Amino acid sequence: MSITMDTTLASLVTNKRRVSALKSLGIVTVGDALTYYPFRVTEPVPLRAIREAAPGQQMAFAAVIRDMRVVPMNVRRGYRLEATVDDADFARSRRVPGGAARLTFFSYRKSYVDWVSMRLRAGTSVVVSGMPSEYMGQLQFTHPEILTVAPGSAGAGAGLEGYARGAASGNGAFAGSTDPYASVQSAYPPAAAASSGAALKYDADTVQEALTRVCRPRPVYHASSRISSEHIHETILGLLWMMGARTSSTPDGQLAGAGSAGIVAPTTDTIAVQNGEENSGTTAESGAEALSQSIPDVLPESVRKAKNLMHRAEAFLAIHDPASTTRFKEAIETLRYEEAFVSQTSLLKARSHAHKSAAHSCPLVTDSLRDQFIASLPFSLTAGQQQVIHDIAADLAHDWPMQRLLQGEVGSGKTVVALAAMLQAVDAGYQAVLVAPTQVLAEQHAETIGRMVEQLKPAIPVTLLTGGMKLAARRKALAAASSGEPGIIVATHAAFSKTFQAPHLALVVIDEQHRFGVEQRESLNAKTDDGTTPHLLVMTATPIPRTAAMTWFGDLDISWLTELPGGRKPIRTVVVNEADAATMGRMFAHIRARVDAGERAYIVCPRIDADDEGNEGGSGVSAAAGSARGRAAASGSSARTAAGGRATRAAADAIGIDDPYETFDENGETVACPPLHAVAEIADRLQKLPQFQGIRFATLTGRDKDDVKTQVMADFAGGETPILVSTTVIEVGVDVKQASCIVIFDADRYGLSQLHQLRGRVGRGGTNSWAFLISRAEPGSPAEQRLEVIHHSLDGAEIAQADLEFRGAGDVLGDAQSGGKSSLKLLRVVKDADMIADARTRAEQLLAADPELADEVQLAGAVLDFTRGNETFLTSS
C-alpha cells in the first residue's frame, strides 16, 4: 500500500478509538498528523549510574534485573510489583562503583501486573529512565520508563566505554548535535535468555539503541482527555516508519546514517499496514529514500540550498523524533520558511491573475453623482477619506479589476468611502453590490445609503436583498437586480445564491471581508455575462497591523483610515473581577443611572444557553468554543474547534467567543476552565437585581430569526427595551447612537481584537461611554495581562499587534489561523517579518522565470492547497 500525505488515518490505524480521538484534534490524514507540531521538546535525559543518582532529578541508566516479586496490597485493592536491578557493568563504563535500586509499579489491574512481570524477568537487560526517590533507605524508581533489550542480538554486546567520555559529567548526552553513542566500543554482557524468551518481543536490539531512545529529547503535543501526548507521538512515529523512515535525521543533514537512532516498527495492534515490513534487510539509506519519495520537497531546490534548509521529509523527522533540541529548532525554521514561501507565492499569483482579467472601466464624469454626494454631506471628509476616495477613483477607471482592502477603525467613515465608489460605478452605467455579513447590518446599510442618496439627481435605486425577506419582496429585489438597471444593491449571503443575477455588475464591496470564503466571492465574480470581473473593495474594522496586512493581503492594494470623525469621546474601559461583588454592584447602579438618562446598555455573553450540550466546563468548553463564533452564528459560517476539528452547528450558535485562548499544562493537556456565561442565564439574573427593577430587558442571539433580530434592535434603539443581553452578534455593524455602556462577561476568554470590536458598539453618538470587562482570570495570569492591554489602549493597531504577539494571527486574520484547515501553523506574522520579506523576494524571482510553476510541480500543488485551505487570507484567487 502506497502511503502519501493524503492517506487517511482510518485506513492505517487499527485502534478506532485512537482514530476518533485524533479526529477530534483535526488529525484525519497522514499530512494532518505530520503537521500537528509539538509545542515544545523535553530536555535530553542525562546518563547517570545508580551511585550518581540525585533524588528528584531525571536520569537514565542500563542495568540487569536481579529479582522480581509481586505483592498483593491488603489494605488497598491491587498489586505492587518490585524489581531489583544492578548496574555494575554500566557503572564500570562510567568509572564509578555499581549500585542497586528498586523499580516499583502499582496497579489495580492484574493483566497489567502480569505484563510487566513477563517483561522484567530475572536476567533481563533493561534500560531505565525515571526520577529517583528514597524509600526505606533504598533508591527507588516509581513507574519508570523501561526498555527491554534482546538477549544475544547482533550488536547487543556493544559496550559502554564511550558513555564515559562526554557523558560522565551527567550534563546530558545530547548537548551537541553529534551522536554521543556512535563511538561505543567496549563489551556489555548480553542478558540471559529466559526460557520463553523466543516468544517475547523486546523493545530494543542493543543497549546502545535503548539508551539512545530514552535519552533523546521528546516532543510534547497539545493533547486532550481522549488521547495523551505520548500516544500522539507513538502514532506519528508509526506513520513515519510506514513511510520508510528507519532512523532519525543525522546532524550532518542526511536523512539517515551511522549512529542514528532507529525508529521502532509499530505493532500490528496499532498500525494495520507496515510498509516494507517483509523486507527486514531494508537499509537506512533505502529507508531515507523511501521517506523522501513519500514526502517530496515543496521548496525549489535552489531556494532550499541558498537558505541552507533541510529536505521536507528530513524536517518532519527531526521535529517528531529529534536527535537534539538544536536539530528540532533547525527543522522548525525549515518548515516555517516553507510556509512563508508558499503563502507569498500564492499571494503573488493571485495578484498577477487579477491583472490579467478584464473589468468595466468606470471613469469619473463631469458633475458626477460622486461629487454631488460629497457636496451634500453635512460634514467635511477627513484627509484620509479624501485620499482613499481619490485612489479608488483611479482604480475604477482602469480596465482591469481593482482589488483593494480598506481598513478603518469603527466609525472612521468607511461607509462614506464605499458609497462614493459605488456612485462612480453607477454613474458609468453599471451596478454595484454591497455585501454585509448579517441581515441587521444589511438593513442598516440600505437605510443609511437610501437616506444619503435621496437628494441626488438622477435618482439612484437602492435595492435590499436578504435571505429573510418574504417571497414577494425577494422576487421583486431579484428582478430589479437581474434587469441590469444601474443602481446599488445591498445584500447578505443572498447575493451568493444561484438565483441572484446582476448582468451589469461592475463593483462588489464586501463589508467585514473575513466572513466570506473565496468560493463565495468567486460566485459574484462569475455573475457578469460579458466575461468581465467586477472591481473588488473589501472593508474591515478589525484592526490589522501593517506588517500583518502587507503579509497576508499582499495581493491587494491597501488603504488605511486612521482619523476618526470629530465629536467622538474616548471610551472608558474598566476591568472588573467577577468575584468583587461590591464593584459589580456599583457597575450595575451606574448602568441604571445611564438608562434613566435615556441611554442604552449592551450585556454580552459568549453562550446562548447554560445547558448547551458539550459545552460544560473544561476542555469541552474550549473545544466547542474553539472558533465557533457568535458572528459565525449570525452569518451561518461553520465553526471550527480550537484544535482544528469541526464543532456542531449547535455549538457554533451557542458560543460567541471568537477564538478563546486555551490553557495547557506542561504535558499538553487542556486545563479545565469554568463554564462560560450564557445569555439566558445572565438575563434572568440581572432582571432580579434591585438596580434593574422596572427596566425591560431584551435578548438577541444568532439563533433568532431575522425578523426577530430586526424587531429586537428596533425596540432597543427606540428605548422600549433599553438593556440588550446578547451574544457577539452585535459585534459588527450595529449602530445605536444612544448606547453608552457595554458589559462583556468572560472577557478574559476573548481575543483582544474582538474585545476592541465589541467596545466600539458604544459612544457612537458623542456621549460619554464605558466598557466593563468582566473577568475570572487569575492574578498575574496571561489572561489578566491581555486585559491590561485593552484596558490601557484605544488604538486598534496597537491592540491587534498585541493580539498577534499573544496568540498569533487568529482573530486578526480570520478562522484559518485558529487551527482549522490552515496550512499555516508555524509562521509568526510579527516576529517573522524579515523571513516573509525574503520569501516574497525569492517568490517574485521564481514567478518571473516560471509564472505557472511548470517546473515546480510540488510547489504548485502546495500553492493550490494553500489557496483552498486559507480562503480567509486570500480575497481573490
Side-chain angles (χ1 to χ4, degrees):
M1 177 180 178
S2 178
I3 301 173
T4 69
M5 298 285 279
D6 295 323
T7 304
T8 61
L9 294 190
S11 65
L12 303 176
V13 179
T14 55
N15 187 329
K16 299 309 175 188
R17 182 174 294 180
R18 182 174 295 189
V19 171
S20 176
L22 290 168
K23 186 177 181 180
S24 72
L25 297 177
I27 304 173
V28 178
T29 66
V30 172
D32 294 335
L34 296 185
T35 57
Y36 192 78
Y37 301 117
F39 66 93
R40 69 180 178 93
V41 287
T42 62
E43 289 300 316
V45 177
L47 290 169
R48 290 177 186 159
I50 290 176
R51 295 281 183 138
E52 299 172 303
Q57 295 184 15
Q58 194 83 6
M59 60 177 282
F61 61 95
V64 175
I65 304 290
R66 290 309 176 205
D67 61 68
M68 182 271 299
R69 65 175 184 154
V70 176
V71 182
M73 293 186 292
N74 295 324
V75 179
R76 297 185 298 170
R77 292 185 301 108
Y79 304 87
R80 181 178 75 251
L81 184 149
E82 296 178 348
T84 304
V85 297
D86 81 62
D87 68 340
D89 297 290
F90 178 76
R92 192 180 307 117
S93 74
R94 295 182 61 82
R95 296 177 174 80
V96 296
R102 182 168 50 216
L103 313 181
T104 306
F105 300 84
F106 299 93
S107 179
Y108 294 116
R109 292 164 47 208
K110 185 65 165 59
S111 59
Y112 172 77
V113 173
D114 290 342
W115 177 74
V116 177
S117 301
M118 181 178 66
R119 301 179 73 224
L120 302 186
R121 297 187 180 191
T124 303
S125 294
V126 293
V127 165
V128 180
S129 174
M131 192 173 292
S133 60
E134 189 174 333
Y135 179 70
M136 299 183 66
Q138 186 174 3
L139 198 67
Q140 174 174 282
F141 292 81
T142 304
H143 284 274
E145 179 181 2
I146 302 288
L147 294 184
T148 57
V149 180
S153 301
L160 299 162
E161 287 299 328
Y163 293 99
R165 296 189 295 274
S169 64
N171 293 328
F174 288 90
S177 59
T178 59
D179 191 331
Y181 306 122
S183 59
V184 175
Q185 299 297 330
S186 67
Y188 186 81
S195 58
S196 60
L200 295 177
K201 179 174 177 60
Y202 292 92
D203 298 316
D205 290 335
T206 66
V207 172
Q208 173 188 331
E209 176 191 330
L211 282 168
T212 301
R213 281 169 53 191
V214 300
C215 290
R216 297 168 71 81
R218 295 211 181 165
V220 183
Y221 303 83
H222 285 313
S224 72
S225 58
R226 299 180 61 188
I227 186 168
S228 67
S229 174
E230 277 296 319
H231 283 156
I232 294 171
H233 187 215
E234 176 187 284
T235 303
I236 294 174
L237 288 185
L239 296 173
L240 286 168
W241 192 93
M242 294 165 65
M243 298 176 82
R246 297 295 181 269
T247 62
S248 298
S249 59
T250 59
D252 63 2
Q254 302 301 314
L255 280 172
S260 296
I263 294 180
V264 179
T267 65
T268 52
D269 293 338
T270 305
I271 299 293
V273 181
Q274 296 190 0
N275 183 32
E277 184 181 22
E278 70 287 347
N279 183 8
S280 58
T282 300
T283 64
E285 289 72 16
S286 64
E289 184 180 345
L291 186 64
S292 62
Q293 289 174 355
S294 300
I295 309 175
D297 215 346
V298 168
L299 287 174
E301 186 71 9
S302 58
V303 173
R304 187 169 71 83
K305 287 185 175 179
K307 297 294 294 180
N308 194 27
L309 301 173
M310 298 179 183
H311 187 282
R312 191 175 200 225
E314 179 189 358
F316 280 135
L317 205 51
I319 286 172
H320 296 297
D321 191 33
S324 66
T325 52
T326 301
R327 196 74 180 143
F328 175 84
K329 292 173 184 176
E330 290 172 356
I332 289 290
E333 285 302 296
T334 291
L335 293 180
R336 184 172 284 148
Y337 189 88
E338 177 189 290
E339 289 184 358
F341 195 87
V342 170
S343 64
Q344 292 308 304
T345 304
S346 300
L347 290 166
L348 289 168
K349 279 183 67 66
R351 190 179 185 93
S352 171
H353 176 74
H355 281 194
K356 293 176 182 176
S357 303
H360 292 298
S361 174
C362 303
L364 274 174
V365 296
T366 306
D367 191 27
S368 66
L369 289 169
R370 190 202 74 170
D371 292 341
Q372 287 183 49
F373 161 65
I374 293 173
S376 70
L377 291 172
F379 52 84
S380 299
L381 297 178
T382 65
Q385 286 175 312
Q386 293 177 22
Q387 181 61 50
V388 174
I389 289 173
H390 174 76
D391 292 342
I392 290 174
D395 288 345
L396 292 176
H398 294 145
D399 58 2
W400 66 81
M402 170 183 73
Q403 291 191 288
R404 184 172 291 275
L405 170 68
L406 175 58
Q407 179 189 327
E409 288 277 2
V410 172
S412 59
K414 296 187 298 298
T415 304
V416 169
V417 172
L419 182 51
M422 289 190 286
L423 289 173
Q424 184 171 337
V426 172
D427 226 357
Y430 299 110
Q431 295 168 294
V433 172
L434 170 61
V435 186
T438 68
Q439 176 163 329
V440 171
L441 185 53
E443 289 171 347
Q444 288 189 357
H445 275 316
E447 182 183 351
T448 302
I449 291 171
R451 202 168 50 242
M452 286 180 162
V453 303
E454 62 184 0
Q455 302 299 326
L456 302 183
K457 302 295 181 184
I460 308 298
V462 178
T463 304
L464 175 65
L465 176 61
T466 70
M469 297 173 71
K470 292 184 178 179
L471 184 58
R474 181 178 171 81
R475 283 177 174 171
K476 184 178 179 181
L478 288 170
S482 62
S483 71
E485 179 187 1
I488 294 172
I489 303 160
V490 181
T492 57
H493 286 77
F496 302 121
S497 70
K498 293 180 180 179
T499 57
F500 176 75
Q501 299 291 331
H504 294 156
L505 183 60
L507 172 65
V508 175
V509 180
I510 296 181
D511 195 9
E512 290 307 314
Q513 63 83 26
H514 56 275
R515 309 298 183 82
F516 305 105
V518 69
E519 292 92 348
Q520 292 174 313
R521 291 188 291 265
E522 283 181 339
S523 71
L524 278 176
N525 287 351
K527 295 302 177 185
T528 52
D529 296 331
D530 53 11
T532 59
T533 299
H535 298 281
L536 180 66
L537 175 65
V538 293
M539 305 191 297
T540 180
T542 302
I544 305 173
R546 286 180 180 255
T547 2
M550 296 304 292
T551 299
W552 298 125
F553 300 104
D555 59 331
L556 303 179
D557 297 306
I558 305 174
S559 298
W560 278 271
L561 289 178
T562 55
E563 303 168 71
L564 292 180
R568 293 199 62 175
K569 298 179 180 178
I571 302 168
R572 303 173 194 179
T573 304
V574 183
V575 179
V576 181
N577 188 320
E578 190 173 341
D580 186 350
T583 303
M584 292 284 286
R586 289 196 301 272
M587 175 188 74
F588 291 134
H590 171 80
I591 293 172
R592 174 60 188 261
R594 302 321 308 163
V595 169
D596 288 343
E599 297 169 10
R600 314 280 186 270
Y602 297 104
I603 312 286
V604 178
C605 304
R607 282 200 297 178
I608 297 175
D609 301 316
D611 58 351
D612 286 312
E613 182 180 354
N615 296 335
E616 283 299 334
S619 60
V621 171
S622 296
S627 57
R629 318 157 148 230
R631 60 194 198 191
S635 65
S637 303
S638 59
R640 298 173 189 252
T641 66
R646 289 190 177 272
T648 63
R649 175 58 193 267
D653 285 343
I655 302 297
I657 283 183
D658 193 9
D659 184 12
Y661 300 83
E662 284 192 280
T663 305
F664 301 94
D665 64 19
E666 62 180 9
N667 293 319
E669 295 279 354
T670 305
V671 175
C673 297
L676 300 167
H677 288 299
V679 168
E681 164 214 350
I682 292 298
D684 182 61
R685 284 170 51 186
L686 296 188
Q687 289 180 84
K688 295 176 181 177
L689 293 177
Q691 293 95 327
F692 296 123
Q693 290 302 306
I695 298 294
R696 290 185 61 196
F697 281 66
T699 61
L700 182 67
T701 73
R703 287 185 191 162
D704 293 328
K705 294 182 178 179
D706 288 335
D707 56 342
V708 173
K709 292 178 185 176
T710 302
Q711 186 60 50
V712 167
M713 289 308 303
D715 291 346
F716 177 64
E720 293 182 35
T721 51
I723 297 180
L724 177 63
V725 186
S726 77
T727 57
T728 53
V729 291
I730 58 102
E731 178 187 349
V732 173
V734 173
D735 189 2
V736 178
K737 299 191 182 305
Q738 300 91 334
S740 63
C741 296
I742 185 167
V743 178
I744 305 171
F745 280 91
D746 294 306
D748 51 303
R749 305 275 289 279
Y750 288 83
L752 294 184
S753 293
Q754 191 181 23
L755 287 175
H756 182 61
Q757 283 281 82
L758 288 166
R759 179 172 60 180
R761 295 306 101 207
V762 298
R764 302 170 73 85
T767 60
N768 290 322
S769 53
W770 294 263
F772 299 97
L773 310 181
I774 312 302
S775 167
R776 290 182 281 186
E778 295 292 329
S781 66
E784 185 182 63
Q785 295 170 21
R786 291 195 302 269
L787 290 181
E788 282 303 301
V789 173
I790 201 91
H791 177 207
H792 292 107
S793 178
L794 292 170
D795 185 332
E798 179 183 326
I799 290 166
Q801 184 86 7
D803 215 7
L804 282 169
E805 291 170 356
F806 272 120
R807 65 168 177 175
D811 177 50
V812 176
L813 300 174
D815 289 342
Q817 272 295 308
S818 306
K821 290 294 184 182
S822 173
S823 306
L824 298 175
K825 300 185 179 180
L826 299 173
L827 198 61
R828 302 161 302 186
V829 175
V830 177
K831 295 179 181 178
D832 296 326
D834 291 343
M835 176 186 288
I836 292 165
D838 180 88
R840 190 175 183 87
T841 300
R842 293 180 189 274
E844 286 173 341
Q845 295 169 354
L846 177 68
L847 288 172
D850 185 5
E852 299 304 320
L853 300 178
D855 297 330
E856 300 292 343
V857 177
Q858 295 301 325
L859 176 61
V863 166
L864 183 60
D865 289 342
F866 175 87
T867 305
R868 289 172 175 167
N870 296 275
E871 56 201 40
T872 53
F873 297 145
L874 300 173
T875 54
S876 62
S877 68

